[in-house]
Amino acid sequence: MTQTPAPWAGIIDDGDDNLDTREGWMWGGKNAIIFLIDATEPMFEKHIDDSSYFMTCIEACKEMMLQAVFHQDKDLFGIVAYGTKHVNQGAQANHITTVQDLSCLNADIIKELLNILGDVDKFENKHGHSNNFSLADALWHCSSMVSKCTTKLYEKKIFLMTCNDNPHATDPKLQNDTRMRARNVMEMGLELKILPFGMTFTFDNFFKEVYQIMQDENDPSILGHNFKIVREVKDIVACVARAPSKRSVSRVLWSLGNDIKLGVAAYSFVRSAPPFPKKQKVTRLNNAVVTSQVSIFRTDTGEAISAAETSKAIKVGGQTVTFEAEELRRVKRLTSSGLVLLGFKPIRTIQLWYHKKKPVFIYPEERKVKGSRTLFAALHERCLAREMCAICYFTPRTSAKPSLVALIPLAEKLDSKTNTQFVPPGFILKFLPYVDNIRDLKEQEVNCSRPDPKMVSVAEEVIDKMRFKFSPSNIDNPKLQKHWSGLEALALGYAEPKEFVDFTVPEYEAIDARINDLAETFSSMAFPDGYNEAVVKKAVKRTAPAKTPAPKKVKPDLNNMSMENIANQGLVEKLTVDKLKSYLIDEDVKVGKMKKAELVEAVYHHLGIQQP
């Protein structure tokens, strides 16, 4: 087995390890994203497809905000345009327009962007253009928006979108001010990213210096990676989309015996999809939100008691055993949290069906024990070399149930073209079943007849023809897509929900083109002559003894009944809206734009009959 050295190999723990940079997520907070868009005349020039760079920017802002609503709706977004004609705006610098203040998202914000996209010429005529702007003032305005925010922030980013690769080319002072302002922005904890437009955009003219002020000047690879020319909306979305947080599900000590311990952290490979909006109960009359409340009563006296006066109980041997809350917690607390090494086994002994729940990824945690990464690297390297896995006892939290697990080493893998990591090194913690979880299937063994070798050969051809590139990261959940598409249409006033591509539906035309006549050949070999798949034998059901049919209820004839009789029987709701309105109008009652529930209430009120 080829081995790849882990990133922690050879690390010396000198006490000056910058752990803050590695796991800044521990301090929490929301994300603040500001789109700083160039609004000078070149950004509005129409292309062959009747679009412009400015339209692409606004379209990307809209798409990012829609995605944020579905995934991280607590983030803050702001939009600033520079190079407009506006001057004398009080505290705001000249030629800068705040399109959207830094705030949480709502439907009105996205509707405003849709209005801009619907009539870009109107926006251009209203705000105009000017080359007398100062990019330094625009950066200062963005930083002041962040500093005025009272919300606790974790990441603060400014995305500068422009097609001008050399702003202030004739004014060295303004260029120097921009460089100094970029440094100030960095010192305030803001990250500046440049999204360039136009194939003739040259970074060496100006923005290379600005970027190097905020980045490591000795790392040209990062420079090339971030300066990718924007061609379409998805390029911007890919740059702005944030990486998933590094929040661990558990941080415990791994005990190797003889008081030898190291710190490890567990991370999830997969996560739950963004939840659906919570359902709320409302009244039928006016859609007012209804809240439910649970009360506890004594069964013998009916007296209401509080939750603090209750306890847990179980019947054992005919007697009721009562537990207090603290006693119940002690009973559930079998072991302290941590990983306990039981031994090592060859990886081949861990069967594929040894799967109890989703696995997690184990990585060294230096905060728990100094030197954890060095010891972790040694264990990881030897397990890879000898193709062994560690069998352990795992308790993620004190109150959690202990589990039997296998730690399978995972080698690091790098992309051959970009030399970037796409598989991290570490251990895959696989949850193993206990003996009580394993089913004995020996008695359910099915003896299948051996297939014809020619049929096997045809099946192999079908399999070879049906191979395709598959990755779960490329397939969206169609149920979620349909649900959010409907909500988006309701919130933004679309006539119809947006169509989406369901990637779980097979491409039948492509499949037929690949396998040609192999499907018919395989079917003719697998099924006997005269087989008709449309004929299905239905199991004969036992007929139950005949029962005397219950008498049918006679439905009242509402057309021949007076409204007073209908109201006395509580059947007003059975009438249509037209009949209700016609009756009330005849009785000189104003109906206006009443809904059916209001019309029913008005009828009962007019007749002086209490509504059931």
Side-chain angles (χ1 to χ4, degrees):
M1 176 182 287
T2 58
Q3 300 179 42
T4 306
W8 353 268
I11 292 178
I12 300 175
D13 300 303
D14 54 4
D16 295 329
D17 188 16
N18 187 6
L19 296 175
D20 293 354
T21 303
R22 185 168 63 90
E23 287 191 304
W25 54 264
M26 295 185 69
W27 288 268
K30 298 180 181 180
N31 288 349
I33 297 175
I34 298 179
F35 299 103
L36 181 57
I37 304 175
D38 183 356
T40 55
E41 194 168 355
M43 290 288 289
F44 286 84
E45 292 179 358
K46 296 294 181 65
H47 304 150
I48 299 176
D49 57 353
D50 202 31
S51 66
S52 63
Y53 294 145
F54 186 82
M55 291 178 64
T56 303
C57 294
I58 298 298
E59 181 69 29
C61 293
K62 185 205 72 174
E63 289 298 324
M64 282 304 306
M65 290 181 179
L66 286 175
Q67 289 187 15
V69 170
F70 302 154
H71 298 287
Q72 55 254 10
D73 55 349
K74 295 183 180 180
D75 288 354
L76 309 179
F77 286 85
I79 303 175
V80 176
Y82 69 91
T84 60
K85 66 180 181 181
H86 300 298
V87 295
N88 301 325
Q89 305 177 89
Q92 186 165 305
N94 293 333
H95 309 296
I96 295 174
T97 301
T98 303
V99 180
Q100 169 59 42
D101 288 322
L102 190 63
S103 62
C104 291
L105 296 175
N106 56 54
D108 292 336
I109 295 174
I110 300 176
K111 285 180 179 179
E112 179 63 26
L113 296 182
L114 290 173
N115 292 335
I116 295 174
L117 289 172
D119 194 350
V120 178
D121 293 336
K122 180 180 178 182
F123 181 90
E124 184 178 8
N125 295 332
K126 178 180 178 180
H127 299 285
H129 311 290
S130 175
N131 292 324
N132 297 325
F133 65 89
S134 170
L135 188 54
D137 290 343
L139 292 174
W140 174 85
H141 180 70
C142 294
S143 61
S144 65
M145 290 173 64
V146 173
S147 61
K148 292 176 183 178
C149 181
T150 57
T151 306
K152 182 181 178 183
L153 300 176
Y154 165 44
E155 286 186 343
K156 298 164 283 188
K157 295 181 180 180
I158 300 173
F159 291 92
L160 174 59
M161 307 179 188
T162 180
C163 64
N164 185 0
D165 59 3
N166 193 13
H168 313 309
T170 59
D171 195 334
K173 181 181 181 303
L174 286 178
Q175 286 194 337
N176 186 59
D177 290 345
T178 303
R179 298 186 192 97
M180 295 302 296
R181 185 61 64 187
R183 184 181 297 277
N184 295 339
V185 165
M186 177 194 67
E187 292 171 353
M188 291 178 62
L190 278 77
E191 182 180 355
L192 175 63
K193 290 192 175 183
I194 301 164
L195 302 178
F197 288 80
M199 299 306 297
T200 60
F201 197 101
T202 305
F203 304 103
D204 294 341
N205 289 345
F206 176 72
F207 283 107
K208 182 177 180 180
E209 294 181 57
V210 175
Y211 192 84
Q212 286 179 336
I213 288 173
M214 305 185 66
Q215 301 291 334
D216 185 3
E217 298 183 8
N218 300 319
D219 191 358
S221 62
I222 298 179
L223 183 68
H225 173 73
N226 284 271
F227 282 159
K228 181 181 179 181
I229 300 295
V230 174
R231 292 183 174 87
E232 50 189 342
V233 172
K234 68 178 183 181
D235 295 335
I236 301 179
V237 174
C239 292
V240 178
R242 68 174 182 177
S245 62
K246 300 178 182 177
R247 190 180 302 277
S248 61
V249 296
S250 176
R251 294 192 298 275
V252 297
L253 293 175
W254 185 3
S255 177
L256 304 180
N258 295 330
D259 294 329
I260 301 175
K261 297 181 180 181
L262 67 152
V264 293
Y267 300 87
S268 292
F269 281 105
V270 294
R271 64 176 183 178
S272 300
F276 291 109
K278 293 183 179 179
K279 298 178 181 178
Q280 289 185 321
K281 294 182 179 180
V282 296
T283 61
R284 297 176 61 182
L285 294 178
N286 53 8
N287 288 341
V289 177
V290 178
T291 58
S292 59
Q293 185 177 0
V294 178
S295 299
I296 305 174
F297 299 90
R298 291 175 60 96
T299 56
D300 51 356
T301 63
E303 179 187 357
I305 59 176
S306 64
E309 299 177 275
T310 63
S311 59
K312 303 291 184 180
I314 186 174
K315 283 192 175 182
V316 180
Q319 295 185 353
T320 302
V321 181
T322 306
F323 295 90
E324 297 296 334
E326 180 59 30
E327 292 175 333
L328 199 60
R329 281 193 290 267
R330 287 202 301 266
V331 169
K332 291 182 177 180
R333 193 177 302 154
L334 299 178
T335 60
S336 58
S337 61
L339 263 173
V340 180
L341 179 65
L342 301 180
F344 294 90
K345 293 289 290 182
I347 296 177
R348 66 177 183 274
T349 61
I350 306 300
Q351 301 295 329
L352 183 63
W353 56 270
Y354 287 175
H355 178 80
K356 193 176 180 184
K357 59 180 179 179
K358 63 182 181 181
V360 295
F361 180 72
I362 298 296
Y363 200 78
E365 177 54 63
E366 196 72 8
R367 281 191 178 84
K368 300 290 288 186
V369 178
K370 286 291 182 182
S372 295
R373 284 185 290 189
T374 304
L375 182 53
F376 190 94
L379 283 169
H380 181 264
E381 182 181 345
R382 295 317 303 157
C383 285
L384 274 177
R386 301 186 61 180
E387 299 185 1
M388 304 288 284
C389 66
I391 306 298
C392 301
Y393 203 55
F394 179 48
T395 308
R397 290 170 299 281
T398 304
S399 59
K401 296 179 181 179
S403 302
L404 191 64
V405 298
L407 270 62
I408 303 173
L410 183 66
E412 181 184 26
K413 293 183 181 180
L414 303 176
D415 192 303
S416 58
K417 296 181 179 179
T418 61
N419 199 35
T420 56
Q421 181 190 90
F422 67 92
V423 176
F427 284 95
I428 298 176
L429 188 148
K430 185 172 184 177
F431 291 89
L432 304 178
Y434 290 109
V435 64
D436 310 277
N437 305 121
I438 299 176
R439 296 179 58 196
D440 186 6
L441 302 178
K442 293 180 180 178
E443 295 181 359
Q444 302 181 23
E445 183 178 356
V446 179
N447 295 322
C448 299
S449 58
R450 301 294 299 177
D452 186 356
K454 293 182 179 180
M455 187 188 304
V456 173
S457 177
V458 174
E460 289 178 350
E461 290 186 53
V462 173
I463 293 173
D464 290 337
K465 296 286 187 180
M466 291 283 290
R467 289 183 178 181
F468 69 106
K469 293 181 180 180
F470 168 76
S471 175
S473 59
N474 297 330
I475 300 178
D476 295 314
N477 185 338
K479 182 177 179 180
L480 284 176
Q481 292 295 310
K482 184 175 181 179
H483 180 81
W484 285 113
S485 177
L487 285 183
E488 181 183 342
L490 287 174
L492 301 180
Y494 296 160
E496 295 289 339
K498 291 195 302 186
E499 294 185 1
F500 63 93
V501 180
D502 186 355
F503 291 102
T504 61
V505 177
E507 298 182 5
Y508 295 106
E509 294 182 1
I511 293 174
D512 293 340
R514 283 187 179 185
I515 62 178
N516 293 326
D517 299 331
L518 287 176
E520 295 183 4
T521 304
F522 183 79
S523 298
S524 62
M525 298 175 69
F527 300 106
D529 295 337
Y531 173 80
N532 186 0
E533 61 181 6
V535 178
V536 179
K537 292 183 179 180
K538 296 183 179 180
V540 179
K541 295 182 179 180
R542 296 181 180 178
T543 57
K547 295 183 179 179
T548 305
K552 294 183 179 180
K553 294 182 179 180
V554 179
K555 293 184 179 181
D557 187 4
L558 301 180
N559 294 326
N560 297 324
M561 294 174 62
S562 66
M563 185 62 71
E564 187 174 356
N565 290 335
I566 294 174
N568 286 326
Q569 297 183 33
L571 301 175
V572 177
E573 291 185 353
K574 301 292 185 180
L575 299 176
T576 63
V577 173
D578 292 337
K579 290 184 178 180
L580 292 171
K581 283 186 176 181
S582 177
Y583 171 77
L584 291 171
I585 291 172
D586 292 341
E587 297 293 325
D588 295 329
V589 178
K590 295 182 179 179
V591 295
K593 296 183 178 179
M594 287 185 180
K595 296 181 179 179
K596 183 174 181 179
E598 296 171 333
L599 293 171
V600 171
E601 185 179 1
V603 170
Y604 281 112
H605 183 267
H606 176 70
L607 295 172
I609 300 173
Q610 185 177 1
Q611 183 176 355

